Amino acid sequence: MSDPASDGEAPPVRARGLVKRYKEVLAVDHVDLNVNLGDVYGFLGPNGAGKTTTLRMALGLIMPSEGRVELFGRDPMRVGARALEGVAGFVEAPTFYPYLTGRKNLELLAALDGGGGRGRIEEVLEVVELAPRAQHRVRGYSHGMRQRLGIAAALLRRPRLMILDEPATGLDPAGMRDMRLLIRRLADEDITVLLSSHQLPEVQELCDRVAIVDRGRVVYEGALAELRRRGGSTYRLRTTDDPRAVELARAQAGIERVDSSAEHGVSFQAREHEVGALSLALGRAGVAILSLTPELATLEDLFFRLTEGEGSSGDGQGPGPGAGSPAGAGAGAGAGAGDGSSRPLQTVGEGPSS
Ligand SMILES: Nc1ncnc2c1ncn2[C@@H]1O[C@H](COP(=O)(O)OP(=O)(O)OP(=O)(O)O)[C@@H](O)[C@H]1O
Ligand SMILES: [Mg+2]
């Protein structure tokens, strides 16, 4: 893995042939990842797919059974905590001392980290919009506030790469929106973000590149736009004569999965070119279009297609059945040390679980 990025600097994350076995469970099965500078990279997969396990290996919390991962060219298994320079984040959920205030928790973390982040505490509290609550004990924080405090703690280190495991899971719609805005803001400040999620809308809105994992294997890696382009789009159509529109759509080459319901009108899958042709055909037949909308659920369709059977490949990643592994997440832990143990690290607070 000595292939550097095009600008001469090693990429934020490069994993090659990453494997993690837990007895008979193959949690991660030869995963390759390529997170480039400036990416907001989505690591997407159903429960138990191996996302957290992969991120744990990336953060040097657990040792790969095979393969390796490098952060800016540095392998946590080889160079220890030094690999985490410029890297911050958390897996599962950040943990803090519940009986201390948010600000005090950050002060402790800054001190553990050598004190450099101390001067940034007020600033990062502002960024995550916790300043008004910083003098309150973490015990009284909501889930969303703890997630944001986790990001504040990570920001203390001025990271160039932020690794976040399902940052928006468990948040209410407003909390999710705030989290998305926050991640956007990180990206705008040139922080490369690797985030895992099983929420397609989140990934769709935030990420330019994705890896989709299923049962430990990468079934697609590459640009989100490319994934969607390959799959075509689902469209919803409402006209003055839907039964006739269905006939015309079925008659036209390149238009597939034509369906109709009273509630949603006509739906079909097609590429843009064929949609244009259909609109002309409708016009010629005297059927007026009331609305024609490309459906954003396409990523969802593709996701299920990739993770529930057929499979596909992207950027050279082949699909595969993978080893079956029972669903369920690993034990909770904060981001940790680069020595292969689960020892907590300054990256993000790891106090007694709150
Ligand atoms: N410490 C462990 N011991 C045994 N099995 C484990 C351990 N950690 C993870 N696994 C198994 O590895 C597989 C992948 O788990 P992982 O937590 O990485 O999935 P995930 O994609 O993060 O899922 P979720 O979306 O539910 O968080 C699961 O089958 C899980 O049971
Ligand atoms: Mg997980």
Side-chain angles (χ1 to χ4, degrees), residues 251-274:
Q252 186 164 320
I255 294 200
E256 288 164 2
R257 299 193 189 205
V258 181
D259 206 354
S260 81
S261 72
E263 201 183 336
H264 298 296
V266 182
S267 68
F268 58 86
Q269 282 187 359
R271 292 173 200 273
E272 251 177 15
H273 179 74
E274 283 101 33

Side-chain angles (χ1 to χ4, degrees), residues 236-242 245 248 268 275-284 286-293:
R236 294 214 182 275
L237 171 68
R238 286 182 54 249
T239 67
T240 49
D241 184 352
D242 283 356
L248 289 166
F268 58 86
V275 177
L278 176 64
S279 72
L280 292 175
L282 289 165
R284 278 195 298 271
V287 180
I289 294 174
L290 301 174
S291 67
L292 175 60
T293 14

Side-chain angles (χ1 to χ4, degrees), residues 32 41 52 61-62 130 192 206 218 226 238 309 316 321 340 350:
D32 292 352
Y41 188 101
T52 300
L61 281 161
I62 56 171
L130 273 181
T192 301
L206 280 173
V218 175
E226 167 65 12
R238 286 182 54 249
E350 170 85 8

Side-chain angles (χ1 to χ4, degrees), residues 22 25 27 45-53 92 166 198 325-330:
Y22 290 107
V25 174
N47 289 142
K51 303 180 295 294
T52 300
T53 307
E92 307 240 291
E166 310 220 19
H198 55 247
S325 50

Side-chain angles (χ1 to χ4, degrees), residues 6-35:
S6 53
D7 64 355
E9 197 192 6
V13 182
R14 177 147 302 188
R16 289 292 177 271
L18 213 50
V19 173
K20 185 67 186 180
R21 278 187 208 92
Y22 290 107
K23 296 198 177 134
E24 71 283 7
V25 174
L26 193 50
V28 174
D29 184 6
H30 294 92
V31 161
D32 292 352
L33 296 178
N34 301 281
V35 179

Side-chain angles (χ1 to χ4, degrees), residues 273-317:
H273 179 74
E274 283 101 33
V275 177
L278 176 64
S279 72
L280 292 175
L282 289 165
R284 278 195 298 271
V287 180
I289 294 174
L290 301 174
S291 67
L292 175 60
T293 14
E295 271 283 290
L296 288 176
T298 302
L299 177 58
E300 198 161 352
D301 294 342
L302 291 166
F303 179 82
F304 288 123
R305 245 187 273 166
L306 287 165
T307 59
E308 287 182 357
E310 300 165 51
S312 174
S313 65
D315 288 10
Q317 299 282 4

